[in-house]
Amino acid sequence: MATMADVARSAGVSVATVSHVLNGTRPVLPHTRQSVLDAIDRLGYTPNTLARSLVTSRTRSIGLAVSAISNPYFTEILQGVEAAALAAGHGLLIADPHDDPAHERTVVQLLHERRVDGMIVAPSAEPRELLTYLARHDVPTVFLDRLVEGDTEGSGAPRDGGPRFDQVCAESAEPTARLVAHLAGLGHRRIALIAGLPGLSTTRERIAGYRQGLTAAGLPHDDALLAHGDSESAGAARATAALLSLAAPPTALVTANNAMTLGALRTLRDRGLSVPDDMALCCFDDFPWADLFSPRLTAIAQPGREIGTQAVRLLLERLAAPDRPARTVRLPCAFVHRTSCGCPDPGPPESGRSGAPGRSAEAGRSSQYPQSAQFERGTVS
């Protein structure tokens, strides 16, 4: 294998100059830099990443801890993280915390011990141990999808009570309210929500949006119509069965993620119930085959790839400016109007932002719950 000394001889420069070009540790004249790069290409030289990290104190690697990597939504996020990291010259180390607080703490420590430059984490419902570790070791970290609201120094918030970590997620409350409003606009008065795992910010916000939608439609809040599917298919199947056993069961369901949508559909099928004739259905999370179901699923589409891209950008900005104030970025979602809600087929599928069929942010807009500027554009705080 070619060595750095071979590159230096071929380019007619010192080994130190080659090191500066590779590591960016000192400005190099453009023509000298190009000579070094040409020699690297000519000789097929591969830099020693371990040796470089000793010089720069950086490994140019990012740790990603995300549960349920097999979930299509998190797969989109992973694609966004990987593409953005690669474009910035960073590698990726991936771990699955399995939404278990103890395991989460363990895998994050393992990533940290491998000297990643920073981490991107989708935190569990009980992230206190995680936050304490990250704060104690001052690990540059971005939380994605789920927000963390630390209120003590030990849990990851500074003394002034503001956020300590950068965060990026999709809007949750208003899109959920819109699904409820859409179903109410179709005449439904008993609309149920199958919510996610208690403790997650996405669960709290989608429950809040569900209640906002009921209030906007002039419908009462019935606690019996709010069930938890714990963000998984089996949990949603049980929650759907419980809702169907009520003396006055719902006529419409909102499911709060794609895994729970599948569980709800399984129970409805097992009970011999038809969507949307016996039960209207709207779901939070679009996925590639949602347009292939019969009926086609009306859904909220989250910008998974963009969430991943933004997370990398925030982390790189944090690495470049460690003392800047923490930021929270919220991205808008799209309402995808299909037929599981009980509406007539809105027409031929449109090509949307993620390339999936049938995605349209405008189709079927409900006049009873107009979108706000926050929903349309997202917010940064």
Side-chain angles (χ1 to χ4, degrees):
M1 294 178 65
T3 66
M4 192 180 294
D6 295 331
V7 173
R9 281 192 295 271
S10 180
V13 299
S14 68
V15 172
T17 298
V18 176
S19 176
H20 291 315
V21 170
L22 290 172
N23 300 316
T25 47
R26 195 187 73 184
V28 177
L29 292 173
H31 71 275
T32 303
R33 174 182 173 80
Q34 191 58 52
S35 295
V36 171
L37 294 176
D38 289 343
I40 289 171
D41 185 60
R42 186 164 54 249
L43 297 173
Y45 171 72
T46 301
N48 186 324
T49 302
L50 294 177
R52 175 188 287 179
S53 68
L54 293 175
V55 175
T56 63
S57 298
R58 293 282 179 86
T59 60
R60 299 190 70 80
S61 61
I62 294 171
L64 176 66
V66 178
S67 295
I69 294 173
S70 60
N71 185 313
Y73 168 62
F74 281 113
T75 300
E76 279 195 17
I77 287 179
L78 173 58
Q79 290 170 348
V81 170
E82 182 181 39
L86 182 61
H90 285 66
L92 202 60
L93 299 178
I94 305 172
D96 188 339
H98 302 296
D99 269 332
D100 177 84
H103 190 58
E104 173 181 67
R105 164 67 168 72
T106 299
V107 299
V108 165
Q109 180 174 344
L110 289 173
L111 290 171
H112 184 221
E113 289 173 352
R114 278 148 181 79
R115 296 298 184 261
V116 294
D117 294 336
M119 279 189 247
I120 298 172
V121 181
S124 69
E126 299 177 14
R128 182 166 292 274
E129 286 190 42
L130 166 71
L131 296 174
T132 299
Y133 181 88
L134 295 173
R136 179 184 300 130
H137 296 280
D138 199 22
V139 182
T141 303
V142 175
F143 293 127
L144 59 70
D145 183 60
R146 303 150 176 188
L147 302 184
V148 169
E149 300 170 355
D151 56 2
T152 67
E153 186 177 6
S155 67
R159 287 187 176 88
D160 63 8
R164 181 187 182 103
F165 299 103
D166 297 299
Q167 309 188 92
V168 57
C169 66
E171 292 287 359
S172 280
E174 283 194 89
T176 306
R178 184 161 181 215
L179 293 179
V180 174
H182 181 67
L183 291 167
L186 296 175
H188 293 280
R189 292 296 174 264
R190 291 189 61 76
I191 302 169
L193 172 70
I194 300 180
L197 188 67
L200 297 178
S201 67
T202 48
T203 299
R204 291 192 300 271
E205 292 182 1
R206 289 168 197 175
I207 290 174
Y210 167 68
R211 290 170 173 160
Q212 291 168 15
L214 292 175
T215 298
L219 298 177
H221 296 190
D222 184 346
D223 290 342
L225 295 178
L226 172 57
H228 281 276
D230 295 335
S231 301
E232 61 179 15
S233 177
R238 292 190 296 270
T240 304
L243 289 168
L244 293 175
S245 69
L246 294 173
T251 61
L253 283 180
V254 175
T255 51
N257 78 359
N258 53 26
M260 292 191 292
T261 299
L262 298 179
L265 286 170
R266 183 176 297 111
T267 294
L268 293 171
R269 180 202 61 192
D270 292 346
R271 297 292 183 92
L273 299 175
S274 170
V275 175
D277 295 336
D278 299 312
M279 182 72 70
L281 176 68
C282 289
C283 52
F284 206 109
D285 274 350
D286 198 18
F287 44 95
W289 55 90
D291 195 54
L292 302 179
F293 278 75
S294 181
R296 298 159 60 225
L297 299 179
T298 295
I300 293 295
Q302 300 190 77
R305 286 185 67 96
E306 182 61 19
I307 289 173
T309 299
Q310 288 284 355
V312 173
R313 289 175 183 167
L314 285 173
L315 183 57
L316 295 179
E317 290 174 9
R318 171 63 54 197
L319 294 171
D323 296 328
R324 70 163 176 77
R327 292 195 296 158
T328 295
V329 177
R330 289 179 175 269
L331 299 174
C333 298
F335 177 78
V336 188
H337 191 195
R338 299 191 181 105
T339 57
S340 64
C341 54
C343 291
D345 196 314
E350 298 179 21
S351 178
R353 128 182 125 264
S354 299
R359 294 193 170 187
S360 169
E362 296 298 323
R365 175 163 295 178
S366 169
S367 60
Q368 291 191 356
Y369 203 93
Q371 289 175 310
S372 71
Q374 186 185 35
F375 183 82
E376 293 283 5
R377 296 191 298 269
T379 60
V380 178
S381 61

